[in-house]
Amino acid sequence: MDLRYPIGPFKRPASLTAAERRTAIDDIAAAPANLRAAVRGLDDSQLDTPYRPDGWTVRQVVHHVPESHLNAYTRFKLALTEEQPTIKPYDEDAWTKTRDVHSTPIETSLVLLESLHDRWVRLLGSISAEEFDRSLKHPESGVMSLHQMLAMYQWHGKHHVAHITTLRERNEWT
């Protein structure tokens, strides 16, 4: 297994069916509870363990997910309110190294993710099939429709939860 991609790398679909969109939204809705369950009972030493050699620690992953999803929520709103906006990328790795990542309790990020996803899922459920065709431009990834963004963030939550759950399995942390 490639520890970087425990559920496999993201595969960008051309679009999603209504059923696929519903499943993706349901998966995004479940992501906060899944992340919370993945870290339940871990101590500080375990939280400071990288999920793979040269990878982020569990703590960094927990703080990264809401940071990434805050950007995603904003990107959805931009795509819905502007014509193909060009979004600003950010250095995710640099964000995981800011001092607040180590000093902020993971509970803060878990609660943030729960609140953010409550709002985001409401937004996603309100988007029409035609609006999912709207797009944005990422300077590094090119033009992406909201179908593709939805699929990417469905994958993203599962991807990072799997980083933690596979680490727990490998280390036999029950």
Side-chain angles (χ1 to χ4, degrees):
M1 174 203 300
D2 184 342
L3 297 179
R4 292 173 303 163
Y5 301 105
I7 64 168
F10 174 65
K11 295 180 178 121
R12 188 190 299 194
S15 67
L16 300 175
T17 65
E20 290 168 333
R21 284 193 306 275
R22 183 73 254 154
T23 298
I25 293 168
D26 289 346
D27 287 345
I28 288 171
N34 293 339
L35 184 60
R36 184 176 286 281
V39 299
R40 187 168 289 119
L42 295 182
D43 62 30
D44 280 337
S45 173
Q46 292 166 323
L47 291 171
D48 291 329
T49 302
Y51 71 87
R52 67 175 174 88
D54 300 318
W56 293 342
T57 66
V58 173
R59 185 182 313 276
Q60 288 172 308
V61 171
V62 171
H63 291 308
H64 161 74
V65 174
E67 290 175 344
S68 172
H69 292 192
L70 276 165
N71 277 285
Y73 173 78
T74 301
R75 291 169 177 178
F76 269 84
K77 292 285 267 196
L78 288 169
L80 289 167
T81 60
E82 299 177 17
E83 283 305 312
Q84 199 173 86
T86 298
I87 59 166
K88 184 180 184 321
Y90 65 101
D91 185 341
E92 294 175 342
D93 194 52
W95 282 40
T96 68
K97 294 175 183 163
T98 59
R99 284 186 291 280
D100 66 304
V101 170
H102 191 72
S103 65
T104 302
I106 64 165
E107 182 64 17
T108 301
S109 284
L110 293 170
V111 169
L112 174 60
L113 189 67
E114 288 165 350
S115 295
L116 171 64
H117 277 233
D118 179 71
R119 182 71 189 271
W120 192 16
V121 167
R122 291 170 194 273
L123 173 67
L124 294 171
S126 74
I127 300 173
S128 71
E130 295 76 28
E131 287 172 318
F132 271 103
D133 291 331
R134 293 184 67 86
S135 62
L136 52 77
K137 183 177 180 184
H138 189 290
E140 297 161 359
S141 305
V143 174
M144 295 179 70
S145 73
L146 291 184
H147 290 278
Q148 294 166 327
M149 293 284 291
L150 181 64
M152 183 171 67
Y153 286 99
Q154 172 192 27
W155 171 87
H156 188 259
K158 291 178 173 185
H159 166 73
H160 284 304
V161 166
H163 282 148
I164 298 166
T165 58
T166 59
L167 173 67
R168 287 185 79 130
E169 290 167 9
R170 290 193 314 275
N171 289 346
E172 298 179 357
W173 296 342
T174 56

